[in-house]
Amino acid sequence: MSEVTSRRVVLQPSGVEVIFAWFQRIISGYCLLFGILYWIRLIGFYPGSLWRFDLMPVHWQVTAVMLAVFFPFAAAGLWMLASWGPVIWFICAAAEIVMYAGFPELFGHRPLIVVSHAGVALLYVVFRLVIYLQKRSPRT
């Protein structure tokens, strides 16, 4: 058997890469849900003092509009497994972390959102590290 026929390139993704793809698609669903919730807030579908655009303070108007656009955009990128999807998600997550952890007097204190974004970011880094180490290790 020649060396050319004995060496095959495996093009199938590893198990970790498949799980990572599904992880991104699950996060995509959450991003779409968050985007819809921000759109509900903008159009005033839900009764409440901060649930209509014209009644919101300016700081809520700016962040709600930005996140209403970015979250569905991140959802599309994550679902398609595009390289820009996690970047847009990171912008959304960083904005909400700054909102709820940095300015709780303006936006309220929502530690569950802050912790969930940090947890997703940590899982993302772990997945990327494991995939990197898998590809780096020589296969026999």
Side-chain angles (χ1 to χ4, degrees):
M1 201 185 262
S2 71
E3 185 178 330
V4 174
T5 58
S6 66
R7 297 180 79 199
R8 284 190 280 167
V9 177
V10 177
L11 297 176
Q12 292 187 349
S14 69
V16 175
E17 289 173 322
V18 171
I19 294 169
F20 180 58
W22 281 104
F23 168 74
Q24 286 189 25
R25 290 192 169 144
I26 290 168
I27 300 306
S28 170
Y30 282 107
C31 286
L32 187 59
L33 176 68
F34 288 153
I36 289 170
L37 291 174
Y38 276 105
W39 275 107
I40 287 172
R41 177 174 288 210
L42 288 179
I43 62 175
F45 188 71
Y46 184 85
S49 61
L50 290 178
W51 286 89
R52 244 181 60 197
F53 185 76
D54 58 337
L55 299 178
M56 289 181 195
V58 173
H59 58 274
W60 262 112
Q61 288 177 342
V62 171
T63 55
V65 167
M66 187 220 30
L67 292 172
V69 172
F70 274 30
F71 265 126
F73 190 55
L78 288 167
W79 186 265
M80 294 185 304
L81 305 176
S83 60
W84 49 266
V87 175
I88 302 300
W89 171 84
F90 178 78
I91 292 170
C92 295
E96 283 199 326
I97 288 171
V98 168
M99 284 168 55
Y100 298 124
F103 299 101
E105 66 278 354
L106 295 176
F107 296 100
H109 188 66
R110 301 188 69 188
L112 188 59
I113 289 179
V114 173
V115 169
S116 67
H117 285 315
V120 168
L122 181 64
L123 275 172
Y124 182 85
V125 169
V126 168
F127 271 120
R128 295 302 299 174
L129 184 63
V130 169
I131 291 169
Y132 170 76
L133 292 174
Q134 272 186 348
K135 289 188 179 205
R136 190 169 173 245
S137 68
R139 296 180 189 236
T140 57

